[in-house]
C-alpha cells in the first residue's frame, strides 16, 4: 500500500515538473529534467516548483467540481475545435490521434477518469492564455493567477502574517491526515482515497524545502494577487475571506459559509418573492387554484406570474413551464365535471362515463403526487452547500423533475379530451385507440390502461349481444342498431351495423359476425320461440376458454374476442338451421312451392285446369273465389297432392288478382302460398310476388298447351268426316281439305314451339335450379347463407324463364305468341264446329216453307254462323260452305303470317341473350335446322 502511495506522489511530481519546465523549455535537456533544483534565469525556482506542487495537491484533494456534465468525447471535441479555430490544424490532428489512442486504452494501468484529465489540461491551457493576453509581468505559469482570469482564487486577506500562519498550519497538518480525513475531502470516493494516500508523505518533502522559502513565495503571491477580484470584492467585509469559492480540504475560518451567505443575500436582493412561495403557488396552480402570485389569466388562457413581480427572467420562464401542468389539469378536470353533470344525456353515454372514470383514476394518482410534493414544500430551501444535495426540500428545478412524467400523461389526457368532446360510444373508443399507436412504452402502457377502462362497457355490450342476444344500448353507443319491425322483417331489417360507432380495433368482418350471431339468437327467441340457443352459447363460451359472466373480455384481448364470436356463431347458427329444417320443415315448404306454384306436380295441374277451365272462361267479374277454392280442394283430393303434409296444403290458396273490364278468369286466376313465421323470413312479400309472376307465366304456358291439346282433340279425323267429304262437291271438298291441312300445319308448328319451350322451362330451368338449391342448402352455415341460396335459386328461375329485366323484349314477344296461339284455338274450334254442324245437316233434303221464309229473312246474317245457312238447301249449302271455308282460311292465313313474323323475331333474339342457358332453348327449337333452311330459301335473316 505504501508503494502505491509513493507511486501516486511521484506521478504528481512528474506531472508538475513537466508542466513547469516544458513550458519554459520546449526541448529540455535530460539533466535539467532530472534535477528540479537546478535553476536558470528562465526556469522556475525551487520555491515556485514547491508552490505548484502544493497547488496540485490541494486541487486533487479538494471537492471542486466543474459546472458542466462529464463527457470525455465532448471535451475532446471542444479542445480539437479550439485548436482548429486558432489555425493549429496540424496540432488538432495530432491531438485527435493521441485522444483516440488514449480513449481506446482500457484495462489495468489505464486512466478511468479520462474526462477529468482532459478537463484539467484544458483549464490549465485557458489560464495560460489569459495570463499572456493580460501581459502580467510575473512568473506564474497559470497556477497562481487571480480568479478574474480563471486562476485559483486568493485564499488570504491583507494580514500576511495571519495568512502565512494559517497556510503553515494547514500544510503542517497535511502529513498527519488519516484515511478518514481524505475520505471526507474527496467526497467519499474510494478511488481518489487510494490514489491520494501517498500524499501523506508530502509533509516530509515540505520540511526539506523549509518554511522561509515558503513564506517568501507567499509574499510574492500576495503582491501578484492584489489586483484580483478576490481582494477588491471583499473591502466591505473587513477581515476574513477575500476571494472566490473553492472547496478545499480544510476551511478553518468558515470561508465557504460566508460566501454562501453573501450569495443568498444577493438572491434576496434580485427576487422580491422567495422560491418557497413560488413553489407553493405552482403547486396550487397545478390543482387549478390561484395562488398569491401565480394566477390564471383568462386572456392568456394560462397560469401566469405577473411581470410586476420582481424575479429573474429564468424564474419567469420556469414558472410558466411548470404551470402548463395546471392548464392541462384545468382542461381535463373541466371535461370530467361537465360530462358527469350531464351524464344522463345521450351524448355522454356509458363509454363516456367510463372515460371520465379512467381520467379521474389517473387524477387520483396525480393528487397523491401533489400531496407528497406539498409535504416537501413545507421544508425550507437551504443555501447552496454540501447538504443541499441531500436535503428533503422542493425547489423549482426539483419540481420540474417531479413534473416530467405527470406532464406527459396530462398532455395525453388533454389531447384525448379535445378529440373526444363530440364523440361517444364506439367512435370514442376508436379515437382513443388511434392515440395508443405510439412508440413510447410509457405512453403505450398508459393508453392501454386507459383503454381497458373506456372499452369495458363496449366489450360488455359485445358479450351480452353474442351470448344472450340482448342489446343493452340505452345511449346508442354500440355498433349494432335495432329498430322495431314485424316478426317477418326481424332478420332483414331489425338489426344493422352502425359504421360510425364501429371502433377501429374491431374489423368489419368481425363486426358482421357479431351482428349475425346476435341476430340469430333474437331470431330463435322471437320468431322460432326456441330456447336451445342458451346451451349453444354456454358451449361456445367453454370452447373459447371463457364464461358467460360479465367482465371476461377487455381491450387488448382481440384474439379472445374473435375466438368467442367464432365459436358462438358456429354453434348458434347450426342450431338455427336445425330448427328451420327439422322443426319448421323448410325444405318441405320449398318443395311444396315448387310443386304447386311452379306447377311441378303434373297430375294436380292437369286436373286443376280441367275442372276450372269452364269457370275461368267466364268474365272475371262474375267468378266466385269461394267456388274456385272448392275446385282447388277437389283437385288436391283427386291427385297425389292429397298425401302431402297437411301443414303444407293449408298454406295453398286461390288468389284473384285485380282485373280490368273484359278480362277473363284465365287472366286473373293464381295460386298463393301462405308461409307463416319464421318461414316468412325467407318467403317475404317481395319473394312471393316474384313467385306469383313466375306462376302467371307458367300458368299461361300451361293454358296454351291445354288449348292446343283441346284443338287437337277437335281436329283429329274420323270415319264420319271421311264419308262426309265424299258427298261434297269437288270444289268444296278441295277447299275444305286445304283449310283443314293449313290448320293442321299451323297447329303442328305451334305445338312444336310450346312443347320445346315447356320442356326447357320444366327441366333446363326449374329442375336444374332446384338441384343447385338443394346443394347450397346442404353447405349453408347460417341463415344468411340460406337466404342467399334461395335468392340465387329464385333469380336463376326468373332470368332463365325470360322474366328478368334484360329479357323484357323477349318476354313481350313470348306473350304475343301465346295470344296468337289462343286465337288460333278459337278459329280452329269455329272451323271444326262448322264442319261438324255441316255434316249433321247434310242428310236433310228439304226444309219447310216456313223455315225457307225465315232463312231468307235472315240471309244478311253472318256467313260464319253455319247453323243459319244449312237450311237453305243443298245448293245454298254448298255456296255457303265454300264462303265459310274461304273466310276461315283467310283468318288462319292472317294468324299464320303474324305468328311466323313474331316467332322469327323471337328466335332471332335468343342467341344475343346474356344467359347461356337460353342458347339451349334455341338449339331445341331449331334442332332440325328447319328455320336455317327457311332463311336460305326466303333470304330473310331469321338467325343472326
Amino acid at each position: 500500500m505504501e508503494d502505491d502511495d509513493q507511486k501516486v506522489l511521484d506521478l504528481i511530481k512528474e506531472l508538475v515538473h513537466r508542466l513547469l519546465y516544458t513550458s519554459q523549455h520546449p526541448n529540455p535537456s535530460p539533466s535539467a529534467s532530472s534535477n528540479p533544483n537546478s535553476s536558470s534565469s528562465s526556469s522556475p525556482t525551487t520555491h515556485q516548483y514547491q508552490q505548484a506542487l502544493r497547488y496540485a495537491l490541494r486541487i486533487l484533494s479538494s471537492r471542486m467540481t466543474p459546472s458542466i456534465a462529464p463527457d470525455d468525447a465532448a471535451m475532446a471535441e471542444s479542445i480539437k475545435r479550439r485548436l482548429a479555430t486558432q489555425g493549429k490544424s496540424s496540432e488538432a490532428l495530432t491531438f485527435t490521434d493521441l485522444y483516440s489512442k488514449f480513449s481506446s486504452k482500457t484495462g489495468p494501468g489505464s486512466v478511468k477518469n479520462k474526462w477529468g484529465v482532459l478537463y484539467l489540461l484544458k483549464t490549465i491551457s485557458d489560464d495560460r492564455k489569459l495570463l499572456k493576453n493580460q501581459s502580467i509581468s510575473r512568473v506564474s505559469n497559470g497556477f497562481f493567477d487571480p480568479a478574474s482570469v480563471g486562476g485559483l482564487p486568493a485564499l488570504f486577506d491583507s494580514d500576511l502574517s495571519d495568512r502565512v500562519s494559517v497556510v503553515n498550519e494547514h500544510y503542517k497538518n497535511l502529513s498527519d491526515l488519516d484515511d478518514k480525513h481524505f475520505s471526507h475531502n474527496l467526497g467519499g470516493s474510494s478511488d481518489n482515497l487510494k490514489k491520494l494516500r501517498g500524499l501523506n508523505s508530502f509533509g516530509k518533502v515540505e520540511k526539506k524545502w523549509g518554511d522561509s522559502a515558503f513564506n517568501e513565495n507567499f509574499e510574492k503571491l500576495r503582491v501578484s494577487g492584489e489586483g484580483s477580484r478576490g481582494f477588491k470584492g471583499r473591502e466591505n467585509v473587513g477581515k476574513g475571506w477575500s476571494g472566490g469559492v473553492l472547496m478545499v480540504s480544510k476551511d478553518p475560518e468558515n470561508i465557504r459559509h460566508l460566501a454562501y451567505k453573501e450569495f443568498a443575500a444577493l438572491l434576496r436582493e434580485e427576487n422580491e418573492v422567495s422560491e418557497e412561495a413560488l413553489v407553493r403557488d405552482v403547486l396550487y396552480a397545478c390543482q387549478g387554484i390561484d395562488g398569491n402570485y401565480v394566477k390564471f389569466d383568462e386572456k392568456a388562457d394560462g397560469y401566469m406570474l405577473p411581470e410586476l413581480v420582481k424575479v429573474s427572467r429564468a424564474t419567469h420562464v420556469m414558472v410558466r413551464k411548470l404551470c402548463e401542468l395546471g392548464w392541462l389539469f384545468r382542461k381535463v378536470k373541466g371535461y370530467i365535471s361537465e360530462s358527469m353533470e350531464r351524464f344522463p344525456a345521450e351524448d355522454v353515454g356509458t363509454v363516456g362515463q367510463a372515460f371520465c372514470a379512467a381520467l379521474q383514476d389517473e387524477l387520483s394518482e396525480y393528487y397523491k403526487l401533489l400531496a407528497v410534493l406539498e409535504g416537501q414544500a413545507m421544508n425550507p430551501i437551504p443555501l447552496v452547500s454540501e447538504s443541499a444535495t441531500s436535503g428533503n426540500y422542493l425547489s423549482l428545478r426539483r419540481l420540474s423533475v417531479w413534473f416530467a412524467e405527470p406532464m406527459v400523461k396530462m398532455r395525453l389526457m388533454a389531447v384525448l379530451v379535445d378529440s373526444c368532446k363530440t364523440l361517444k360510444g364506439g367512435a370514442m373508443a376508436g379515437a382513443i385507440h388511434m392515440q395508443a399507436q405510439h412508440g413510447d412504452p410509457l405512453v403505450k402502457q398508459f393508453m392501454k390502461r386507459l383503454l381497458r377502462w373506456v372499452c369495458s362497457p363496449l366489450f360488455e355490450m359485445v358479450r351480452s349481444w353474442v351470448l344472450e342476444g340482448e342489446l343493452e344500448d340505452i345511449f346508442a353507443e354500440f355498433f349494432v342498431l335495432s329498430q322495431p319491425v314485424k316478426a317477418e322483417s326481424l332478420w332483414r331489417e331489425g338489426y344493422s351495423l352502425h359504421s360510425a360507432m364501429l371502433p377501429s380495433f374491431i374489423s368489419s368482418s368481425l363486426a358482421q359476425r357479431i351482428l349475425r350471431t346476435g341476430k340469430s339468437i333474437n331470431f330463435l327467441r322471437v320468431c322460432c320461440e326456441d330456447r336451445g340457443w342458451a346451451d349453444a352459447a354456454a358451449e361456445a363460451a367453454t370452447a373459447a376458454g371463457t364464461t358467460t359472466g360479465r367482465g371476461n373480455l377487455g381491450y387488448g384481448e382481440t384474439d379472445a374476442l374473435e375466438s368467442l364470436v367464432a365459436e358462438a356463431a358456429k354453434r348458434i347458427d347450426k342450431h338455427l338451421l336445425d330448427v328451420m329444417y327439422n322443426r319448421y320443415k323448410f325444405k318441405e315448404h320449398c318443395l311444396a312451392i315448387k310443386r304447386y306454384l311452379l306447377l311441378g306436380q303434373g297430375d294436380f295441374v292437369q286436373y286443376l285446369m280441367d275442372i276450372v277451365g269452364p269457370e275461368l272462361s267466364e268474365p272475371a267479374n262474375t267468378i266466385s273465389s269461394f267456388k274456385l277454392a272448392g275446385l282447388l280442394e277437389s283437385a288436391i283430393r283427386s291427385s297425389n297432392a292429397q298425401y302431402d303434409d297437411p301443414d303444407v296444403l293449408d298454406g295453398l290458396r286461390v288468389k284473384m288478382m285485380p282485373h280490368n273490364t273484359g278480362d277473363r278468369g284465365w287472366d286473373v286466376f293464381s295460386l298463393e302460398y301462405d308461409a307463416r313465421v319464421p318461414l316468412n323470413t325467407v318467403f317475404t312479400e317481395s319473394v312471393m310476388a316474384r313467385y306469383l309472376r313466375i306462376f302467371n307465366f307458367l300458368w299461361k304456358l300451361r293454358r296454351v298447351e291445354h288449348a292446343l291439346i283441346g284443338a287437337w282433340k277437335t281436329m283429329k279425323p274420323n270415319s264420319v268426316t271421311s264419308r262426309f267429304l265424299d258427298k261434297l262437291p269437288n270444289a268444296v271438298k278441295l277447299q275444305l281439305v286445304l283449310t283443314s291441312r293449313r290448320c293442321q300445319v299451323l297447329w303442328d308448328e305451334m305445338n312444336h314451339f310450346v312443347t320445346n319451350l315447356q320442356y326447357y322451362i320444366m327441366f333446363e330451368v326449374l329442375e336444374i335450379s332446384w338441384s343447385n338449391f338443394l346443394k347450397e342448402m346442404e353447405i349453408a352455415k347460417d341463415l344468411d347463407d340460406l337466404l342467399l341460396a334461395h335468392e340465387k335459386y329464385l333469380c336463376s328461375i326468373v332470368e332463365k324463364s325470360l322474366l328478368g329485366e334484360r329479357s323484357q323484349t323477349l318476354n313481350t314477344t313470348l306473350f304475343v305468341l301465346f295470344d296468337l296461339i289462343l286465337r288460333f284455338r278459337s278459329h280452329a274450334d269455329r272451323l271444326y264446329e262448322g264442319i261438324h254442324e255441316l255434316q249433321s245437316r247434310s242428310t236433310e233434303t228439304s226444309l219447310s216453307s216456313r223455315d225457307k221464309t225465315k232463312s231468307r229473312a235472315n240471309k244478311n246474317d253472318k256467313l260464319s254462323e253455319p247453323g243459319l245457312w244449312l237450311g237453305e238447301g243443298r245448293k245454298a249449302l254448298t255456296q255457303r260452305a265454300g264462303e265459310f271455308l274461304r273466310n276461315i282460311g283467310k283468318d288462319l292465313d292472317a294468324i299464320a303470317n303474324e305468328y311466323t313474323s313474331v316467332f322469327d323475331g323471337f328466335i332471332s333474339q335468343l342467341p344475343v341473350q346474356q344467359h347461356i342457358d337460353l342458347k339451349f332453348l334455341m338449339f331445341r327449337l331449331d334442332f332440325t335446322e328447319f328455320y336455317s333452311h327457311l332463311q336460305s330459301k326466303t333470304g330473310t335473316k331469321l338467325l343472326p
Side-chain angles (χ1 to χ4, degrees):
M1 184 63 68
E2 294 181 358
D3 295 340
D4 293 340
D5 295 343
Q6 185 62 39
K7 185 177 181 181
V8 171
L9 182 60
D10 292 341
L11 289 174
I12 296 174
K13 292 179 180 180
E14 180 67 20
L15 175 61
V16 173
H17 175 74
R18 285 181 178 271
L19 291 175
L20 288 177
Y21 287 91
T22 304
S23 61
Q24 299 296 330
H25 301 282
N27 297 312
S29 61
S31 61
S33 299
S34 61
N35 186 13
N37 296 325
S38 63
S39 61
S40 64
S41 60
S42 59
S43 299
T45 64
T46 304
H47 302 289
Q48 292 174 344
Y49 176 81
Q50 182 182 10
Q51 287 182 326
L53 182 59
R54 290 179 177 177
Y55 178 82
L57 292 172
R58 186 173 56 184
I59 290 177
L60 294 176
S61 61
S62 69
R63 297 182 58 187
M64 292 177 60
T65 56
S67 60
I68 58 178
D71 188 348
D72 52 343
M75 183 59 63
E77 184 66 24
S78 175
I79 296 174
K80 183 175 67 175
R81 192 183 305 111
R82 172 169 296 182
L83 291 174
T85 55
Q86 293 175 356
K88 302 177 181 179
S89 302
S90 60
E91 296 182 8
L93 294 175
T94 303
F95 173 77
T96 303
D97 182 59
L98 291 175
Y99 172 71
S100 62
K101 295 178 181 179
F102 177 65
S103 61
S104 62
K105 188 174 182 180
T106 58
S110 62
V111 179
K112 295 183 179 180
N113 191 8
K114 296 181 175 59
W115 173 86
V117 174
L118 294 175
Y119 182 72
L120 176 63
L121 296 176
K122 182 176 180 295
T123 304
I124 295 174
S125 176
D126 293 342
D127 290 344
R128 289 185 174 182
K129 182 179 179 182
L130 291 174
L131 177 63
K132 182 179 180 180
N133 292 338
Q134 292 180 0
S135 300
I136 300 177
S137 57
R138 56 189 177 87
V139 180
S140 173
N141 296 302
F143 290 105
F144 308 105
D145 290 343
S148 61
V149 294
L152 187 66
L155 301 179
F156 315 104
D157 57 14
S158 57
D159 190 352
L160 182 60
S161 60
D162 294 340
R163 292 196 303 268
V164 172
S165 62
V166 170
V167 175
N168 286 336
E169 182 67 19
H170 166 68
Y171 284 100
K172 181 180 180 181
N173 296 330
L174 183 61
S175 60
D176 299 328
L177 294 178
D178 56 6
D179 292 346
K180 182 177 179 180
H181 179 71
F182 272 94
S183 175
H184 170 73
N185 288 335
L186 295 176
S189 174
S190 59
D191 294 337
N192 291 337
L193 176 62
K194 292 177 181 179
K195 292 179 180 180
L196 296 179
R197 279 173 177 169
L199 302 184
N200 294 337
S201 61
F202 182 71
K204 302 176 182 179
V205 179
E206 177 184 343
K207 292 180 180 180
K208 291 180 182 180
W209 289 341
D211 294 336
S212 59
F214 185 72
N215 294 338
E216 181 180 352
N217 280 294
F218 271 107
E219 178 63 24
K220 294 179 181 180
L221 178 63
R222 183 188 64 79
V223 175
S224 62
E226 286 179 351
S228 67
R229 188 178 58 184
F231 285 97
K232 294 180 180 179
R234 316 308 304 178
E235 293 177 357
N236 57 346
V237 181
K239 291 185 178 182
W241 174 251
S242 30
V245 177
L246 178 66
M247 296 181 183
V248 294
S249 59
K250 284 210 170 184
D251 190 10
E253 298 183 356
N254 206 14
I255 302 174
R256 284 183 298 174
H257 177 71
L258 295 176
Y260 294 145
K261 190 174 181 180
E262 182 181 357
F263 178 70
L266 181 61
L267 290 179
R268 285 194 294 271
E269 292 176 3
E270 294 180 353
N271 303 287
E272 66 179 17
V273 180
S274 65
E275 189 172 3
E276 291 90 340
L278 292 178
V279 168
R280 284 194 299 270
D281 276 17
V282 169
L283 291 177
Y284 288 151
C286 292
Q287 302 174 62
I289 304 172
D290 288 345
N292 294 330
Y293 304 101
V294 179
K295 301 179 183 295
F296 186 80
D297 190 348
E298 297 291 345
K299 295 182 179 180
D301 189 24
Y303 286 95
M304 304 291 293
L305 182 63
E307 295 293 338
L308 299 177
V309 178
K310 184 180 178 181
V311 293
S312 64
R313 183 171 183 81
T315 304
H316 269 285
V317 174
M318 179 68 73
V319 170
R320 185 170 65 251
K321 289 183 178 180
L322 293 176
C323 288
E324 179 189 355
L325 186 61
W327 181 83
L328 297 172
F329 170 82
R330 185 186 178 97
K331 178 186 288 290
V332 175
K333 187 63 176 178
Y335 173 81
I336 296 174
S337 301
E338 181 183 356
S339 299
M340 296 308 293
E341 286 176 0
R342 55 187 180 88
F343 165 67
E346 186 175 344
D347 58 345
V348 178
T350 57
V351 176
Q353 187 184 21
F355 179 48
C356 292
L359 294 178
Q360 189 63 48
D361 183 68
E362 294 297 331
L363 290 184
S364 299
E365 297 297 325
Y366 174 69
Y367 290 147
K368 295 177 182 178
L369 173 63
L370 290 182
V372 173
L373 296 179
E374 286 181 352
Q376 292 188 8
M378 300 297 293
N379 299 325
I381 300 177
L383 298 176
V384 182
S385 62
E386 297 176 355
S387 61
T389 58
S390 59
N392 190 18
Y393 64 94
L394 193 63
S395 64
L396 292 177
R397 292 187 177 275
R398 287 195 172 194
L399 200 58
S400 65
V401 177
W402 278 103
F403 281 176
E405 183 175 340
M407 188 76 75
V408 174
K409 294 182 179 180
M410 200 67 72
R411 283 174 181 166
L412 285 174
M413 289 190 286
V415 170
L416 295 179
V417 164
D418 287 336
S419 61
C420 297
K421 277 186 177 179
T422 59
L423 301 178
K424 68 173 184 177
M428 177 183 288
I432 299 175
H433 169 73
M434 294 305 296
Q435 297 290 339
Q437 309 308 306
H438 204 283
D440 189 346
L442 174 65
V443 175
K444 202 166 187 177
Q445 187 66 25
F446 172 77
M447 296 301 298
K448 184 176 181 181
R449 184 171 65 252
L450 197 68
L451 278 168
R452 288 194 67 87
W453 281 76
V454 174
C455 296
S456 178
L458 196 63
F459 276 87
E460 180 56 31
M461 293 178 193
V462 173
R463 186 207 61 81
S464 178
W465 173 252
V466 170
L467 297 180
E468 301 173 6
E470 296 289 345
L471 193 59
E472 301 175 353
D473 188 17
I474 303 175
F475 303 103
E477 302 172 282
F478 198 35
F479 53 85
V480 175
L481 285 178
S482 66
Q483 53 185 355
V485 292
K486 296 181 180 179
E488 62 184 27
S489 303
L490 179 66
W491 183 267
R492 298 177 184 270
E493 303 174 4
Y495 303 98
S496 60
L497 276 181
H498 189 192
S499 57
M501 291 297 169
L502 181 62
S504 53
F505 53 84
I506 295 181
S507 62
S508 298
S509 59
L510 179 59
Q512 289 289 348
R513 281 185 289 169
I514 292 173
L515 171 66
R516 189 183 67 245
T517 304
K519 280 202 306 184
S520 299
I521 295 177
N522 278 277
F523 184 80
L524 287 168
R525 181 167 51 206
V526 176
C527 299
C528 302
E529 298 180 354
D530 179 80
R531 297 293 299 176
W533 58 266
D535 297 334
E539 293 175 1
T542 303
T546 182
T547 62
T548 57
R550 296 175 176 266
N552 292 313
L553 292 175
Y555 176 79
E557 301 175 358
T558 307
D559 294 339
L561 176 63
E562 291 183 354
S563 175
L564 176 63
V565 172
E567 293 292 338
K570 180 175 65 175
R571 286 168 170 76
I572 294 175
D573 289 337
K574 182 179 182 300
H575 179 72
L576 173 58
L577 292 181
D578 290 341
V579 171
M580 292 290 289
Y581 291 156
N582 300 327
R583 180 176 173 182
Y584 291 97
K585 302 177 181 178
F586 175 76
K587 294 181 180 179
E588 287 78 0
H589 285 279
C590 291
L591 182 60
I593 291 177
K594 175 180 176 293
R595 287 178 177 176
Y596 302 121
L597 295 191
L598 303 184
L599 308 182
Q601 187 75 21
D603 57 340
F604 164 78
V605 175
Q606 187 63 41
Y607 190 83
L608 179 64
M609 297 196 75
D610 290 340
I611 62 176
V612 301
E615 188 71 22
L616 297 180
S617 300
E618 300 296 328
N621 55 0
T622 63
I623 298 177
S624 172
S625 59
F626 296 101
K627 185 176 182 179
L628 291 177
L631 295 176
L632 175 63
E633 291 293 333
S634 299
I636 291 175
R637 290 193 298 269
S638 302
S639 63
N640 288 331
Q642 62 180 316
Y643 301 112
D644 283 345
D645 194 322
D647 292 337
V648 173
L649 297 178
D650 289 343
L652 190 62
R653 299 175 184 176
V654 173
K655 180 180 180 180
M656 300 297 291
M657 295 183 296
H659 56 273
N660 299 320
T661 304
D663 288 342
R664 297 284 176 176
W666 290 105
D667 300 322
V668 298
F669 175 80
S670 65
L671 296 178
E672 69 174 356
Y673 194 84
D674 183 19
R676 301 177 180 87
V677 177
L679 297 177
N680 55 6
T681 300
V682 181
F683 305 115
T684 60
E685 292 183 0
S686 60
V687 169
M688 297 311 297
R690 285 192 285 174
Y691 272 120
L692 179 61
R693 187 181 177 193
I694 298 173
F695 171 82
N696 291 333
F697 168 72
L698 297 177
W699 183 253
K700 189 72 173 282
L701 180 60
R702 284 301 185 98
R703 178 191 173 191
V704 170
E705 180 193 25
H706 190 265
L708 288 176
I709 293 174
W712 171 252
K713 292 179 181 179
T714 305
M715 291 164 54
K716 66 179 182 178
N718 51 49
S719 58
V720 176
T721 304
S722 301
R723 289 193 299 269
F724 167 68
L725 292 176
D726 295 337
K727 299 177 182 181
L728 293 175
N730 290 333
V732 177
K733 179 179 178 180
L734 178 61
Q735 191 174 6
L736 179 59
V737 170
L738 292 176
T739 304
S740 298
R741 183 178 180 183
R742 180 68 177 128
C743 185
Q744 290 277 358
V745 171
L746 186 57
W747 179 90
D748 186 67
E749 186 175 354
M750 291 180 175
N751 184 67
H752 169 76
F753 167 68
V754 171
T755 301
N756 283 282
L757 178 62
Q758 187 179 16
Y759 176 89
Y760 165 76
I761 295 296
M762 299 306 297
F763 294 97
E764 298 291 341
V765 176
L766 296 180
E767 291 300 328
I768 292 180
S769 298
W770 174 254
S771 176
N772 293 334
F773 180 43
L774 289 178
K775 292 179 182 178
E776 293 190 0
M777 274 199 293
E778 293 297 329
I779 63 175
K781 297 181 179 179
D782 51 63
L783 188 56
D784 280 334
D785 290 346
L786 188 61
L787 292 174
L788 181 60
H790 181 263
E791 183 67 19
K792 290 174 61 178
Y793 165 69
L794 194 55
C795 289
S796 175
I797 295 175
V798 170
E799 292 295 329
K800 293 180 181 181
S801 301
L802 307 177
L803 299 176
E805 295 181 358
R806 296 178 295 182
S807 306
Q808 289 299 317
T809 304
L810 271 178
N811 183 262
T812 303
T813 305
L814 188 60
F815 274 85
V816 172
L817 291 174
F818 290 164
D819 292 337
L820 289 174
I821 293 173
L822 294 177
R823 284 171 55 193
F824 165 77
R825 165 67 191 276
S826 64
H827 286 294
D829 287 345
R830 284 174 54 203
L831 173 62
Y832 284 96
E833 284 177 3
I835 293 175
H836 284 295
E837 188 171 355
L838 178 62
Q839 180 182 358
S840 64
R841 296 290 184 178
S842 63
T843 55
E844 298 180 2
T845 56
S846 62
L847 297 172
S848 60
S849 57
R850 186 182 63 182
D851 295 334
K852 292 180 180 179
T853 304
K854 187 176 180 180
S855 63
R856 289 191 187 98
N858 297 326
K859 65 181 180 179
N860 294 326
D861 292 347
K862 294 181 180 180
L863 296 177
S864 61
E865 298 178 2
L868 298 177
W869 47 264
L870 287 177
E872 296 183 357
R874 182 172 293 278
K875 185 178 180 179
L877 175 64
T878 302
Q879 183 180 357
R880 296 293 183 182
E883 188 175 356
F884 168 72
L885 292 173
R886 283 194 300 273
N887 291 335
I888 291 296
K890 290 180 181 179
D891 292 339
L892 290 176
D893 289 340
I895 291 175
N897 292 333
E898 185 177 359
Y899 175 81
T900 302
S901 175
V902 175
F903 181 76
D904 290 345
F906 175 78
I907 62 174
S908 65
Q909 296 178 29
L910 284 179
V912 299
Q913 296 301 308
Q914 295 185 1
H915 210 291
I916 190 172
D917 287 347
L918 292 175
K919 296 181 180 180
F920 291 101
L921 174 60
M922 179 64 215
F923 173 76
R924 294 192 61 84
L925 292 177
D926 194 31
F927 180 75
T928 60
E929 299 184 353
F930 168 77
Y931 299 105
S932 300
H933 291 302
L934 186 63
Q935 174 190 8
S936 60
K937 290 181 180 179
T938 60
T940 58
K941 188 177 180 181
L942 299 178
L943 297 173

